[in-house]
Structures are given as C-alpha cells and as structure tokens.
Amino acid sequence: VTAMLGGPFFLWLLVRDRFPGDVLGSISYMSPEQLAGGTIDGRSDIFSAGIVMYELLSGRRPFQGESPTAIMMKIIHEEAPPLDEVSGAPAKLRGMIAKALEKNPERRYQRAAEFASDLRDLQITIERLIERQQESLRATQTATVPDHSVGPAPAAPAVTQPPAPIGRRCLR
C-alpha cells in the first residue's frame, strides 16, 4: 500500500496524528482491552490467536455483527459460542481456545510460550493416539487376511488318459 501511495512518507502521514488509545487494526481480531483503549500486552495477542484458531476450526469468527460497533460490543461483553457446538475439535483443544478467549487477561494464558507448549503437548498426544490406532488397524488386518503360504501346496490332479470311446472298441 505504501509503495502505491507514496512510500514511507505516506506511512508516516498515516500514523503521525495518532493519539494514545486510537484503534488501528482489524476489529474482529482485537482483544476486549484493546477495544476499550486499555493497556495491552502479549495477552492481547493470545486473544487474537484464539480468534484465528476458533475461525480455523469452525469456519466462522466467534464474534459477528452487522456493524463494527456491534462486533466490538460482542467482543467486550459476550462469550464466544462454545466450539463443541460448531466443530468436532478435541475437548482439550476447545479448552485451550476458550482459555485464550477469556475476557479477563488474568484468566488467559499469560505467555504465548505457555499456549504453544500446551499446543505441542496436544499434538504429541494426538500423534501417539494415531500411531496406536494404526498399529491396531494393522494387527486387525493381519489377523483377518488368510495366510496361504503355510503348509504344503495342494497336489496337482493326476493326468490320466480318457477312456476310448465305446464305438472304437467295437470296430477293432
């Protein structure tokens, strides 16, 4: 955008008249404290990450409205609809996203590293579950497939001459 409209100078013009408390960004992904003009820190980013994850799992944003003001009010005052109603995500993941979307920053993950650690732990748990299911499936398939390689091969039928036609015997 800045290259099309005049480079870095345009960017400076865009932000030079900003005052503390001004809102700049996508309203749908802002934290309640950011929308209220409060102090923001890394926990605000965790709230935004929770919105992105919610949207990835459900296909829709947790806070929707007819106008930016309606969306802001929902983010500040309403809870996100529970993910179990709109997705088939594991309960532990739904809980992690709900924690990231807590209105009160003190009840959210306090550091992104804590959130990332929980996500990695869940990934490991899911990978182990998938491995066990695959092993179980392989064992079931092996047990149900007949093994024809064990034991002697069936004997080939003996080759015999067909009996001579009756009419030939009479002619001899």
Side-chain angles (χ1 to χ4, degrees), residues 6-55:
F9 180 72
F10 174 75
L11 183 59
W12 177 79
L13 286 174
L14 184 67
V15 298
R16 74 182 167 97
D17 292 326
R18 296 280 174 206
F19 297 98
D22 279 356
V23 176
L24 182 63
S26 297
I27 291 172
S28 296
Y29 299 94
M30 290 184 181
S31 66
E33 61 273 19
Q34 187 175 9
L35 291 170
T39 302
I40 59 171
D41 56 23
R43 296 172 297 182
S44 181
D45 293 334
I46 291 168
F47 186 90
S48 300
I51 290 175
V52 170
M53 293 180 72
Y54 185 104
E55 188 174 358

Short mmCIF file of all heavy atoms in Angstrom, two decimals, residues 6-55:
data_model
loop_
_atom_site.label_atom_id
_atom_site.label_comp_id
_atom_site.label_asym_id
_atom_site.label_seq_id
_atom_site.Cartn_x
_atom_site.Cartn_y
_atom_site.Cartn_z
N GLY A 6 2.93 6.44 -2.17
CA GLY A 6 3.96 7.41 -1.87
C GLY A 6 5.07 6.93 -0.96
O GLY A 6 5.84 7.75 -0.46
N GLY A 7 5.17 5.64 -0.70
CA GLY A 7 6.29 5.10 0.06
C GLY A 7 6.22 5.41 1.54
O GLY A 7 5.16 5.70 2.09
N PRO A 8 7.39 5.36 2.21
CA PRO A 8 7.43 5.55 3.67
C PRO A 8 6.86 6.88 4.15
O PRO A 8 6.33 6.96 5.24
CB PRO A 8 8.92 5.45 4.00
CG PRO A 8 9.52 4.72 2.85
CD PRO A 8 8.67 5.04 1.66
N PHE A 9 6.96 7.93 3.33
CA PHE A 9 6.42 9.22 3.74
C PHE A 9 4.92 9.13 3.98
O PHE A 9 4.39 9.67 4.94
CB PHE A 9 6.74 10.29 2.70
CG PHE A 9 6.20 11.65 3.08
CD1 PHE A 9 6.79 12.37 4.12
CD2 PHE A 9 5.10 12.19 2.43
CE1 PHE A 9 6.28 13.60 4.49
CE2 PHE A 9 4.60 13.42 2.80
CZ PHE A 9 5.19 14.13 3.82
N PHE A 10 4.21 8.41 3.09
CA PHE A 10 2.77 8.25 3.26
C PHE A 10 2.47 7.51 4.56
O PHE A 10 1.56 7.87 5.29
CB PHE A 10 2.16 7.50 2.08
CG PHE A 10 0.70 7.18 2.29
CD1 PHE A 10 -0.26 8.17 2.18
CD2 PHE A 10 0.29 5.90 2.62
CE1 PHE A 10 -1.60 7.89 2.39
CE2 PHE A 10 -1.05 5.62 2.84
CZ PHE A 10 -2.00 6.62 2.71
N LEU A 11 3.26 6.47 4.87
CA LEU A 11 3.07 5.72 6.11
C LEU A 11 3.24 6.66 7.32
O LEU A 11 2.46 6.62 8.26
CB LEU A 11 4.04 4.54 6.19
CG LEU A 11 3.91 3.64 7.41
CD1 LEU A 11 2.51 3.04 7.48
CD2 LEU A 11 4.95 2.55 7.36
N TRP A 12 4.23 7.53 7.27
CA TRP A 12 4.45 8.49 8.35
C TRP A 12 3.24 9.41 8.50
O TRP A 12 2.78 9.68 9.60
CB TRP A 12 5.72 9.30 8.08
CG TRP A 12 5.96 10.35 9.12
CD1 TRP A 12 6.49 10.18 10.36
CD2 TRP A 12 5.66 11.73 8.99
NE1 TRP A 12 6.53 11.37 11.02
CE2 TRP A 12 6.02 12.35 10.21
CE3 TRP A 12 5.11 12.52 7.98
CZ2 TRP A 12 5.86 13.71 10.43
CZ3 TRP A 12 4.94 13.87 8.20
CH2 TRP A 12 5.33 14.46 9.42
N LEU A 13 2.68 9.87 7.36
CA LEU A 13 1.49 10.72 7.42
C LEU A 13 0.31 9.97 8.02
O LEU A 13 -0.49 10.55 8.76
CB LEU A 13 1.11 11.20 6.02
CG LEU A 13 1.98 12.29 5.40
CD1 LEU A 13 1.54 12.54 3.95
CD2 LEU A 13 1.90 13.57 6.20
N LEU A 14 0.23 8.68 7.73
CA LEU A 14 -0.88 7.87 8.22
C LEU A 14 -0.85 7.74 9.73
O LEU A 14 -1.88 7.78 10.39
CB LEU A 14 -0.82 6.47 7.55
CG LEU A 14 -1.95 5.50 7.87
CD1 LEU A 14 -3.26 6.02 7.27
CD2 LEU A 14 -1.62 4.14 7.29
N VAL A 15 0.33 7.58 10.32
CA VAL A 15 0.41 7.33 11.76
C VAL A 15 0.81 8.55 12.59
O VAL A 15 0.71 8.51 13.80
CB VAL A 15 1.40 6.16 12.06
CG1 VAL A 15 0.91 4.90 11.42
CG2 VAL A 15 2.80 6.51 11.62
N ARG A 16 1.24 9.66 11.99
CA ARG A 16 1.77 10.78 12.77
C ARG A 16 0.72 11.45 13.64
O ARG A 16 1.04 11.99 14.69
CB ARG A 16 2.42 11.82 11.85
CG ARG A 16 1.45 12.64 11.06
CD ARG A 16 2.18 13.62 10.14
NE ARG A 16 1.27 14.18 9.19
CZ ARG A 16 0.67 15.35 9.33
NH1 ARG A 16 0.94 16.10 10.38
NH2 ARG A 16 -0.17 15.80 8.43
N ASP A 17 -0.55 11.42 13.24
CA ASP A 17 -1.57 12.09 14.02
C ASP A 17 -2.31 11.14 14.97
O ASP A 17 -3.35 11.50 15.51
CB ASP A 17 -2.59 12.76 13.09
CG ASP A 17 -1.96 13.94 12.33
OD1 ASP A 17 -1.09 14.60 12.92
OD2 ASP A 17 -2.34 14.15 11.18
N ARG A 18 -1.77 9.96 15.17
CA ARG A 18 -2.41 9.00 16.08
C ARG A 18 -2.19 9.43 17.52
O ARG A 18 -1.14 9.96 17.88
CB ARG A 18 -1.84 7.59 15.86
CG ARG A 18 -2.13 7.02 14.51
CD ARG A 18 -3.54 6.49 14.49
NE ARG A 18 -3.85 6.08 13.12
CZ ARG A 18 -5.07 6.05 12.64
NH1 ARG A 18 -6.08 6.38 13.40
NH2 ARG A 18 -5.29 5.67 11.42
N PHE A 19 -3.19 9.20 18.32
CA PHE A 19 -3.11 9.52 19.74
C PHE A 19 -3.18 8.22 20.53
O PHE A 19 -3.74 7.24 20.06
CB PHE A 19 -4.28 10.43 20.14
CG PHE A 19 -4.26 11.75 19.46
CD1 PHE A 19 -5.04 11.99 18.33
CD2 PHE A 19 -3.44 12.78 19.94
CE1 PHE A 19 -5.01 13.21 17.70
CE2 PHE A 19 -3.42 14.01 19.31
CZ PHE A 19 -4.20 14.23 18.18
N PRO A 20 -2.66 8.24 21.76
CA PRO A 20 -2.82 7.03 22.59
C PRO A 20 -4.30 6.68 22.71
O PRO A 20 -5.15 7.55 22.88
CB PRO A 20 -2.25 7.47 23.94
CG PRO A 20 -1.31 8.59 23.62
CD PRO A 20 -1.91 9.29 22.42
N GLY A 21 -4.61 5.40 22.57
CA GLY A 21 -6.00 4.96 22.64
C GLY A 21 -6.66 4.84 21.28
O GLY A 21 -7.76 4.30 21.18
N ASP A 22 -6.02 5.34 20.22
CA ASP A 22 -6.57 5.16 18.88
C ASP A 22 -6.59 3.67 18.54
O ASP A 22 -5.72 2.91 18.95
CB ASP A 22 -5.74 5.89 17.82
CG ASP A 22 -6.05 7.37 17.74
OD1 ASP A 22 -6.97 7.82 18.45
OD2 ASP A 22 -5.37 8.06 16.98
N VAL A 23 -7.59 3.27 17.79
CA VAL A 23 -7.72 1.87 17.38
C VAL A 23 -7.23 1.74 15.95
O VAL A 23 -7.67 2.46 15.06
CB VAL A 23 -9.20 1.42 17.48
CG1 VAL A 23 -9.37 0.02 16.96
CG2 VAL A 23 -9.68 1.53 18.91
N LEU A 24 -6.28 0.83 15.76
CA LEU A 24 -5.74 0.59 14.43
C LEU A 24 -5.61 -0.91 14.27
O LEU A 24 -4.92 -1.57 15.04
CB LEU A 24 -4.35 1.26 14.30
CG LEU A 24 -3.66 1.15 12.95
CD1 LEU A 24 -4.49 1.85 11.88
CD2 LEU A 24 -2.28 1.76 13.02
N GLY A 25 -6.32 -1.48 13.31
CA GLY A 25 -6.26 -2.92 13.08
C GLY A 25 -7.63 -3.45 12.69
O GLY A 25 -8.58 -2.70 12.48
N SER A 26 -7.73 -4.78 12.63
CA SER A 26 -8.99 -5.45 12.29
C SER A 26 -9.79 -5.66 13.56
O SER A 26 -9.39 -6.43 14.43
CB SER A 26 -8.71 -6.80 11.61
OG SER A 26 -8.02 -6.59 10.41
N ILE A 27 -10.91 -5.01 13.67
CA ILE A 27 -11.73 -5.06 14.88
C ILE A 27 -12.08 -6.49 15.26
O ILE A 27 -12.05 -6.84 16.44
CB ILE A 27 -12.99 -4.19 14.70
CG1 ILE A 27 -12.59 -2.72 14.64
CG2 ILE A 27 -14.02 -4.46 15.80
CD1 ILE A 27 -13.70 -1.78 14.27
N SER A 28 -12.38 -7.33 14.30
CA SER A 28 -12.81 -8.70 14.59
C SER A 28 -11.76 -9.52 15.32
O SER A 28 -12.08 -10.56 15.90
CB SER A 28 -13.19 -9.42 13.29
OG SER A 28 -14.31 -8.80 12.70
N TYR A 29 -10.50 -9.10 15.29
CA TYR A 29 -9.42 -9.86 15.91
C TYR A 29 -8.81 -9.16 17.12
O TYR A 29 -7.77 -9.57 17.61
CB TYR A 29 -8.33 -10.15 14.86
CG TYR A 29 -8.87 -10.99 13.72
CD1 TYR A 29 -9.34 -10.39 12.56
CD2 TYR A 29 -8.94 -12.37 13.83
CE1 TYR A 29 -9.87 -11.15 11.54
CE2 TYR A 29 -9.46 -13.14 12.81
CZ TYR A 29 -9.93 -12.52 11.66
OH TYR A 29 -10.44 -13.29 10.64
N MET A 30 -9.45 -8.10 17.60
CA MET A 30 -8.91 -7.34 18.73
C MET A 30 -9.42 -7.89 20.05
O MET A 30 -10.51 -8.44 20.14
CB MET A 30 -9.30 -5.87 18.60
CG MET A 30 -8.58 -5.18 17.48
SD MET A 30 -9.00 -3.42 17.49
CE MET A 30 -8.06 -2.87 16.10
N SER A 31 -8.60 -7.69 21.09
CA SER A 31 -8.97 -8.12 22.43
C SER A 31 -9.89 -7.09 23.07
O SER A 31 -9.94 -5.93 22.64
CB SER A 31 -7.71 -8.28 23.28
OG SER A 31 -7.10 -7.02 23.48
N PRO A 32 -10.64 -7.50 24.10
CA PRO A 32 -11.52 -6.55 24.78
C PRO A 32 -10.77 -5.33 25.33
O PRO A 32 -11.25 -4.19 25.19
CB PRO A 32 -12.13 -7.37 25.92
CG PRO A 32 -12.03 -8.78 25.46
CD PRO A 32 -10.79 -8.86 24.62
N GLU A 33 -9.60 -5.56 25.92
CA GLU A 33 -8.85 -4.44 26.49
C GLU A 33 -8.34 -3.49 25.40
O GLU A 33 -8.23 -2.29 25.60
CB GLU A 33 -7.71 -4.92 27.39
CG GLU A 33 -6.64 -5.76 26.73
CD GLU A 33 -6.93 -7.25 26.69
OE1 GLU A 33 -8.09 -7.67 26.84
OE2 GLU A 33 -5.98 -8.01 26.47
N GLN A 34 -8.03 -4.03 24.24
CA GLN A 34 -7.58 -3.20 23.13
C GLN A 34 -8.74 -2.33 22.62
O GLN A 34 -8.57 -1.14 22.38
CB GLN A 34 -7.04 -4.09 22.01
CG GLN A 34 -6.39 -3.36 20.87
CD GLN A 34 -5.77 -4.32 19.86
OE1 GLN A 34 -5.97 -5.53 19.92
NE2 GLN A 34 -5.03 -3.78 18.92
N LEU A 35 -9.91 -2.93 22.50
CA LEU A 35 -11.08 -2.17 22.04
C LEU A 35 -11.50 -1.11 23.04
O LEU A 35 -12.02 -0.06 22.66
CB LEU A 35 -12.24 -3.13 21.76
CG LEU A 35 -12.04 -4.04 20.54
CD1 LEU A 35 -13.13 -5.09 20.50
CD2 LEU A 35 -12.01 -3.23 19.26
N ALA A 36 -11.28 -1.37 24.32
CA ALA A 36 -11.66 -0.42 25.36
C ALA A 36 -10.60 0.65 25.56
O ALA A 36 -10.78 1.54 26.40
CB ALA A 36 -11.91 -1.17 26.67
N GLY A 37 -9.51 0.59 24.81
CA GLY A 37 -8.45 1.59 24.93
C GLY A 37 -7.57 1.38 26.15
O GLY A 37 -6.87 2.30 26.57
N GLY A 38 -7.59 0.18 26.69
CA GLY A 38 -6.78 -0.11 27.88
C GLY A 38 -5.36 -0.48 27.52
O GLY A 38 -4.94 -0.44 26.35
N THR A 39 -4.62 -0.85 28.54
CA THR A 39 -3.23 -1.28 28.36
C THR A 39 -3.23 -2.66 27.73
O THR A 39 -3.95 -3.56 28.17
CB THR A 39 -2.51 -1.33 29.72
OG1 THR A 39 -2.59 -0.04 30.31
CG2 THR A 39 -1.06 -1.74 29.55
N ILE A 40 -2.43 -2.82 26.70
CA ILE A 40 -2.34 -4.13 26.05
C ILE A 40 -0.92 -4.67 26.19
O ILE A 40 0.04 -3.92 26.31
CB ILE A 40 -2.76 -4.08 24.57
CG1 ILE A 40 -1.90 -3.12 23.75
CG2 ILE A 40 -4.24 -3.71 24.45
CD1 ILE A 40 -2.13 -3.20 22.27
N ASP A 41 -0.85 -5.98 26.20
CA ASP A 41 0.44 -6.67 26.26
C ASP A 41 0.32 -7.95 25.43
O ASP A 41 -0.61 -8.08 24.63
CB ASP A 41 0.86 -6.93 27.71
CG ASP A 41 -0.17 -7.72 28.51
OD1 ASP A 41 -0.99 -8.44 27.90
OD2 ASP A 41 -0.16 -7.63 29.75
N GLY A 42 1.20 -8.89 25.64
CA GLY A 42 1.20 -10.13 24.87
C GLY A 42 -0.08 -10.93 25.01
O GLY A 42 -0.43 -11.71 24.12
N ARG A 43 -0.79 -10.77 26.12
CA ARG A 43 -2.04 -11.50 26.31
C ARG A 43 -3.11 -11.05 25.32
O ARG A 43 -4.00 -11.83 24.96
CB ARG A 43 -2.52 -11.36 27.75
CG ARG A 43 -1.54 -12.01 28.74
CD ARG A 43 -1.88 -11.73 30.15
NE ARG A 43 -1.79 -10.29 30.42
CZ ARG A 43 -1.99 -9.74 31.60
NH1 ARG A 43 -2.33 -10.49 32.63
NH2 ARG A 43 -1.88 -8.44 31.76
N SER A 44 -3.00 -9.82 24.84
CA SER A 44 -3.92 -9.35 23.80
C SER A 44 -3.68 -10.14 22.50
O SER A 44 -4.63 -10.51 21.81
CB SER A 44 -3.72 -7.85 23.56
OG SER A 44 -4.59 -7.37 22.59
N ASP A 45 -2.41 -10.40 22.22
CA ASP A 45 -2.08 -11.20 21.03
C ASP A 45 -2.57 -12.64 21.18
O ASP A 45 -2.98 -13.27 20.21
CB ASP A 45 -0.57 -11.20 20.79
CG ASP A 45 -0.05 -9.83 20.39
OD1 ASP A 45 -0.83 -9.03 19.84
OD2 ASP A 45 1.14 -9.56 20.65
N ILE A 46 -2.55 -13.15 22.41
CA ILE A 46 -3.05 -14.50 22.66
C ILE A 46 -4.55 -14.54 22.39
O ILE A 46 -5.06 -15.51 21.79
CB ILE A 46 -2.71 -14.95 24.10
CG1 ILE A 46 -1.19 -15.16 24.22
CG2 ILE A 46 -3.47 -16.22 24.48
CD1 ILE A 46 -0.68 -15.33 25.62
N PHE A 47 -5.28 -13.50 22.78
CA PHE A 47 -6.71 -13.42 22.48
C PHE A 47 -6.92 -13.45 20.96
O PHE A 47 -7.76 -14.20 20.46
CB PHE A 47 -7.31 -12.13 23.08
CG PHE A 47 -8.80 -12.04 22.94
CD1 PHE A 47 -9.63 -12.54 23.92
CD2 PHE A 47 -9.38 -11.44 21.83
CE1 PHE A 47 -11.02 -12.46 23.81
CE2 PHE A 47 -10.75 -11.35 21.70
CZ PHE A 47 -11.58 -11.87 22.70
N SER A 48 -6.14 -12.66 20.24
CA SER A 48 -6.26 -12.63 18.77
C SER A 48 -5.94 -13.99 18.16
O SER A 48 -6.61 -14.44 17.23
CB SER A 48 -5.33 -11.56 18.20
OG SER A 48 -5.67 -10.29 18.70
N ALA A 49 -4.92 -14.67 18.68
CA ALA A 49 -4.58 -16.02 18.19
C ALA A 49 -5.74 -16.98 18.46
O ALA A 49 -6.04 -17.84 17.63
CB ALA A 49 -3.30 -16.51 18.85
N GLY A 50 -6.39 -16.82 19.61
CA GLY A 50 -7.56 -17.66 19.91
C GLY A 50 -8.68 -17.45 18.90
O GLY A 50 -9.34 -18.40 18.49
N ILE A 51 -8.88 -16.21 18.48
CA ILE A 51 -9.90 -15.92 17.47
C ILE A 51 -9.55 -16.61 16.15
O ILE A 51 -10.40 -17.23 15.51
CB ILE A 51 -10.08 -14.40 17.27
CG1 ILE A 51 -10.74 -13.78 18.50
CG2 ILE A 51 -10.91 -14.10 16.01
CD1 ILE A 51 -10.87 -12.28 18.46
N VAL A 52 -8.29 -16.52 15.75
CA VAL A 52 -7.85 -17.15 14.50
C VAL A 52 -8.05 -18.67 14.58
O VAL A 52 -8.56 -19.29 13.64
CB VAL A 52 -6.38 -16.79 14.18
CG1 VAL A 52 -5.85 -17.62 13.03
CG2 VAL A 52 -6.25 -15.30 13.87
N MET A 53 -7.66 -19.28 15.71
CA MET A 53 -7.82 -20.72 15.85
C MET A 53 -9.30 -21.12 15.86
O MET A 53 -9.69 -22.13 15.26
CB MET A 53 -7.11 -21.21 17.11
CG MET A 53 -5.60 -21.07 17.00
SD MET A 53 -4.76 -21.62 18.47
CE MET A 53 -5.01 -23.38 18.31
N TYR A 54 -10.12 -20.34 16.52
CA TYR A 54 -11.56 -20.58 16.54
C TYR A 54 -12.09 -20.58 15.10
O TYR A 54 -12.84 -21.47 14.70
CB TYR A 54 -12.25 -19.51 17.37
CG TYR A 54 -13.73 -19.71 17.57
CD1 TYR A 54 -14.22 -20.17 18.78
CD2 TYR A 54 -14.65 -19.41 16.56
CE1 TYR A 54 -15.58 -20.34 18.99
CE2 TYR A 54 -16.00 -19.58 16.75
CZ TYR A 54 -16.48 -20.05 17.96
OH TYR A 54 -17.83 -20.22 18.14
N GLU A 55 -11.68 -19.58 14.36
CA GLU A 55 -12.15 -19.45 12.98
C GLU A 55 -11.66 -20.61 12.11
O GLU A 55 -12.40 -21.11 11.26
CB GLU A 55 -11.69 -18.10 12.41
CG GLU A 55 -12.29 -17.77 11.06
CD GLU A 55 -11.95 -16.37 10.57
OE1 GLU A 55 -11.27 -15.61 11.29
OE2 GLU A 55 -12.37 -16.05 9.46
#
